[in-house]
Amino acid sequence: MNSARWHARIECGRQIGAGFLVTGRKVVTCAHVIADSGAAPVTVTFPHQAGAAAVPARVVSHAGWGGRPTDPGDLAVLELDEDAPVAPAAFAPADAAFGEPPRKLVAYGFPRGYDEGTLAEYRATAAQLIGGEWIQLEAWNGHGQPLEAGFSGAAVALAGTGEVVGMVTATGGRGVRNGRMLPTDVMARYWPELGGRLPAPAHEDADRDRLRVLVEKAARAGLDCSPERLYLDAAGPFGPPVPPGGFHSLWAAAWYVLCELDDPESVTRFADRLDALLDAPRTGAAARHAPPDWSPILVEIDRSGAGGDQVVVEVSAYSAGRRHPVDSRTVAQGELRPYVRERIDEAFAHLAPGTDELIAFALPREWLNWPVDQWESGPDDPTPLGCSYPLVVTDHARRRGGLRHRLTRRWQGIDAGANALVHRVECGSGEEPRKLRLRLREADVAGFAAPPAAGHSRPHFDTALTKPVPVLLWPRSGCAGEHAVDGEQALQGAGEGCAGSAFLDAIGPYVCGVTPAELPRHILSLRESADAADDPDGHWARDVQLLWDDPRCFPDPHATTAHLRSPVA
């Protein structure tokens, strides 16, 4: 540590803290140390450099720290006018801070009375991240220098080698012998340039370099995509959930995958998905853009054992991959609509600003034809709910087990710009369910000419629901499915005069060129057009029903478990 000239003293207004040189002219410190940089100058001094004077610095990167001690992202990057006359810090792998026996860690800070700086000896309490962000530090012994004001921003380094493993962000104060550090792998989430200087995690350097190149390419292209969605794709349905607060950037999600996921294939999945989004072609009005950042409000309705008129309702909001329960109770069907309206209004408080709201009703299979999109938006607002928000239904049975896993894989496979080609299932079709099963094996959208309860359509509908078909469309009314079932007569029935066939003729071109991820938004527009028509009841799309269930939008709270380094479940 005697040769560690890269330690820096930071001053901003009345605040004094520490920092350390990372590149020739860039210094990292805590955001709270330079919180007054808008009104006061920031200066940097390298106390180990003989005759060194304070030099001005400007803030060039800020990790979005919110201002409170427990807010994430307490990191800032300062830039000097010219290269410092000292060599930058060297880094050890982040997990080098842990071991048996414990590793001694040292921090160099500037508490009151120590303008030249002083050392504090500490160790990491455990490898477990607190809030997905910090490592807890505890004093190496019962005496010596504690972490206190003036140590914020100090490098935490391995005693003996001087290699950096983190940065002090919270001090215990006089008489309190603990604190917190931001480990280097978490720091790299907020500042991508640091990632290039850290020893590679368990994955190969090539994987890290490929991710960095793709993220930089996405930034230059202005790619509009959800970091949380890409992370959930990479982690898979049973991987760790998104950390609290989500990801403030695409790079933050990429680095989290690199450092926090044990499955080496997760890096490949993240890079492949991002690469596919960047390379997806533009097609006319349906120009390429990333899937919407859906934040669903899920209304789960099921039968109750309390009586035939009673139903069990549970309302939840999903934001940044995490579930926020709103309310759950048993209500009479006559009270269902007002109860659901009120809970939906409450659920909006849990959605992050800027995300795309989505109302989803999870129903038993026999109730999938309920006209929930026609329910009034509010006691004083007769607008149909499906004309106020994107609204979908889904089947309870598709939200669990092996089918959920296969659906997740299908959605991952269609994110890269696949268009919604409707596979028609005519009413009165004599097609055997096993043949339909084969035909729908690669289908993204299945369109039915008749509702699920109509005559011969039921077996075909059940067949589609038990396969990983991401999207189903049908008219709630229309053809009653009474056509004959032998091939020739079925074709005649599905032709002129068949309302169901007319629906499929119209819906096919409407969704052509639209990705399945965007269908809820396009069906919202279609419902609005039907509602505003001169003859709404006669419009072909008046009662369109959309079954849409991307499992990544509805993480199963029972399937997510805490990760060793990220206890955020």
Side-chain angles (χ1 to χ4, degrees):
M1 293 295 291
N2 291 334
S3 61
R5 298 184 176 183
W6 39 261
H7 291 294
R9 172 187 169 99
I10 313 296
E11 294 187 50
C12 179
R14 300 179 62 182
Q15 187 73 252
I16 297 174
F20 54 101
L21 189 69
V22 177
T23 70
R25 61 177 64 188
K26 288 183 179 176
V27 176
V28 294
T29 186
C30 288
H32 75 259
V33 171
I34 51 89
D36 294 331
S37 59
V42 179
T43 62
V44 175
T45 308
F46 295 99
H48 288 283
Q49 184 69 10
V55 296
R58 60 184 177 278
V59 180
V60 294
S61 182
H62 195 290
W65 180 62
R68 297 176 301 178
T70 56
D71 285 337
D74 189 3
L75 178 145
V77 182
L78 312 178
E79 187 172 43
L80 311 176
D81 289 335
E82 57 185 34
D83 286 354
V86 297
F91 294 88
D95 57 5
F98 320 106
E100 285 296 336
R103 301 291 300 270
K104 181 186 287 188
L105 307 175
V106 291
Y108 196 96
F110 303 88
R112 183 184 298 274
Y114 291 90
D115 290 350
E116 74 286 2
T118 189
L119 288 170
E121 296 180 338
Y122 274 71
R123 61 183 161 196
T125 304
Q128 178 172 300
L129 286 178
I130 298 174
E133 185 93 355
W134 304 280
I135 292 292
Q136 182 169 309
L137 300 174
E138 58 186 34
W140 182 255
N141 51 44
H143 54 83
Q145 174 66 49
L147 292 179
E148 56 183 327
F151 275 91
S152 293
V156 179
L158 299 176
T161 70
E163 294 173 307
V164 177
V165 293
M167 179 181 72
V168 176
T169 57
T171 60
R174 291 189 180 274
V176 180
R177 296 187 174 274
N178 59 30
R180 288 182 178 180
M181 78 170 180
L182 205 62
T184 51
D185 53 356
V186 175
M187 294 171 66
R189 288 190 219 155
Y190 296 110
W191 186 39
E193 189 174 337
L194 178 61
R197 300 190 59 84
L198 301 183
H203 310 285
E204 296 294 329
D205 285 337
D207 290 334
R208 182 178 63 180
D209 292 343
R210 183 189 177 209
L211 269 184
R212 184 182 300 107
V213 168
L214 287 171
V215 170
E216 290 173 353
K217 182 179 178 182
R220 290 194 302 270
L223 182 67
D224 180 17
C225 65
S226 166
E228 288 79 15
R229 173 64 63 81
L230 283 169
Y231 168 78
L232 291 171
D233 283 349
F238 305 110
V242 173
F247 300 109
H248 82 290
S249 69
L250 187 57
W251 172 255
W255 189 257
Y256 198 88
V257 170
L258 271 168
C259 298
E260 300 296 337
L261 299 190
D262 296 326
D263 180 6
E265 292 301 315
S266 61
V267 179
T268 302
R269 288 193 292 268
F270 190 101
D272 287 349
R273 184 68 59 243
L274 182 55
D275 200 8
L277 290 172
L278 287 165
D279 290 341
R282 297 180 180 270
T283 307
R288 176 206 71 186
H289 50 86
D293 185 13
W294 293 122
S295 285
I297 294 172
L298 179 63
V299 182
E300 299 178 83
I301 305 175
D302 210 343
R303 296 178 180 83
S304 167
D309 186 50
Q310 304 290 307
V311 294
V312 177
V313 190
E314 183 171 5
V315 180
S316 308
Y318 288 81
S319 181
R322 301 180 65 83
R323 176 177 177 266
H324 304 274
V326 176
D327 195 24
S328 177
R329 69 178 62 180
T330 300
V331 301
Q333 289 206 27
E335 303 170 358
L336 179 60
R337 294 191 185 190
Y339 171 78
V340 168
R341 284 197 304 261
E342 292 172 5
R343 300 295 86 76
I344 287 176
D345 285 344
E346 293 175 14
F348 273 99
H350 296 284
L351 303 189
T355 55
D356 299 297
E357 70 274 6
L358 173 72
I359 310 297
F361 282 79
L363 305 168
R365 188 161 298 180
E366 292 76 12
W367 296 352
L368 286 176
N369 211 42
W370 275 17
V372 289
D373 60 295
Q374 293 297 316
W375 292 6
E376 293 182 348
S377 295
D380 301 317
D381 183 4
T383 306
L385 197 60
C387 292
S388 296
Y389 311 104
L391 185 148
V392 302
V393 299
T394 185
D395 178 17
H396 277 311
R398 285 165 65 96
R399 303 189 63 242
R400 57 180 179 264
L403 182 55
R404 175 186 175 87
H405 181 78
R406 288 186 292 157
L407 270 170
T408 302
R409 193 168 59 208
R410 282 303 311 279
W411 276 100
Q412 290 172 339
I414 64 176
D415 267 351
N419 292 331
L421 177 64
V422 177
H423 289 248
R424 299 171 65 112
V425 182
E426 301 284 359
C427 55
S429 171
E431 186 174 15
E432 296 181 15
R434 58 187 177 86
K435 292 184 178 180
L436 177 63
R437 194 160 48 240
L438 179 64
R439 184 160 68 91
L440 294 181
R441 185 172 58 185
E442 302 299 327
D444 296 332
V445 181
F448 288 80
H456 299 291
S457 70
R458 185 78 225 187
H460 296 135
F461 196 81
D462 289 343
T463 297
L465 285 175
T466 56
K467 299 297 290 182
V469 182
V471 179
L472 278 68
L473 284 161
W474 69 91
R476 284 191 301 271
S477 56
C479 181
E482 298 299 330
H483 303 296
V485 298
D486 69 81
E488 183 177 356
Q489 290 178 328
L491 289 174
Q492 291 174 355
E496 184 177 354
C498 173
S501 184
F503 170 83
L504 293 180
D505 289 343
I507 198 70
Y510 182 81
V511 303
C512 181
V514 179
T515 64
E518 298 172 301
L519 276 176
R521 184 181 294 153
H522 283 258
I523 296 301
L524 165 64
S525 298
L526 181 59
R527 286 170 172 151
E528 289 176 317
S529 297
D531 188 65
D534 292 338
D535 179 16
D537 292 335
H539 195 283
W540 64 270
R542 173 64 177 176
D543 57 1
V544 59
Q545 196 81 325
L546 172 63
L547 187 146
W548 184 100
D549 48 5
D550 183 347
R552 300 166 304 174
C553 291
F554 310 99
D556 185 352
H558 305 296
T560 53
T561 56
H563 192 256
L564 177 63
R565 297 281 312 282
S566 305
V568 294

